[in-house]
Amino acid sequence: MTLPNFRFGRAMLSSVHKNYHLKPENIMSYSRVDQLPLLTDQLDGQLSRLFRKALQECGIWQDLEEEGPFTVFVPADQAMENVGGVSFHELSPGALKQLVSCHIVRGRFLSRDLMEKEALEALNGQLLRVELANGKIRINESRVLFKNTEARNGVIHYIYPAILPDEWGGRQ
């Protein structure tokens, strides 16, 4: 069916066709964010190979396929290879889940939003300090290397080094 007066993402039906109606699931979204891939699709790059594997092994991968929004601080692979003096491959499933969940925050925080925050609460309840020094954003002493990789259900910031869970006694 062609829609009269269809412009700028809004549909208006003529009073002549009172029997026609649109179902919400059939209306395409014109929002830029709605056209983006999911967080899990964005994490297919080379920078996040080990973090993606950790997400899948501890079961948080499925959570990132949900509506969200989430902000994910993804450590570069070099940071994941040796976390807190332990090889990534030697971590137990529980330790892996602790590590991954302290890198994820509920809510969509672009870099401009981070600059206005002092702290964020990670999925595991840990408070992540947000600092702005010399025009660079730091999350618990980790430098934000690449920022604002947007996804439909959140945003990704790549960091180095990895954030250590409070349970490990590290403040990194």
Side-chain angles (χ1 to χ4, degrees), residues 21-94:
H21 63 279
L22 291 175
K23 295 179 182 175
E25 61 270 14
N26 293 338
I27 299 175
M28 262 181 31
S29 172
Y30 286 93
S31 170
R32 181 185 64 79
V33 172
D34 289 339
Q35 303 302 320
L36 294 172
L38 290 171
L39 282 168
T40 52
D41 298 328
Q42 292 284 47
L43 287 170
D44 280 339
Q46 282 296 99
L47 284 174
S48 57
R49 186 176 41 84
L50 289 177
F51 191 74
R52 182 180 69 239
K53 182 177 179 183
L55 284 168
Q56 292 168 337
E57 286 181 13
C58 70
I60 296 179
W61 183 263
Q62 291 80 6
D63 296 340
L64 293 182
E65 290 179 330
E66 293 177 8
E67 192 65 29
F70 299 100
T71 298
V72 184
F73 299 101
V74 178
D77 275 350
Q78 295 82 0
M80 288 292 290
E81 288 174 357
N82 187 9
V83 182
V86 179
S87 171
F88 165 78
H89 303 290
E90 296 174 6
L91 292 174
S92 69

Side-chain angles (χ1 to χ4, degrees), residues 58 60 96-105 122-125:
C58 70
I60 296 179
L96 198 58
K97 187 167 187 164
Q98 283 180 348
L99 176 67
V100 169
S101 62
C102 74
H103 287 83
I104 303 171
V105 175
L123 287 184
N124 67 351

Side-chain angles (χ1 to χ4, degrees), residues 133-146:
N134 299 325
K136 303 287 183 189
I137 301 171
R138 290 187 173 272
I139 308 295
N140 278 18
E141 306 300 323
S142 297
R143 297 180 318 273
V144 176
L145 303 175
F146 303 107

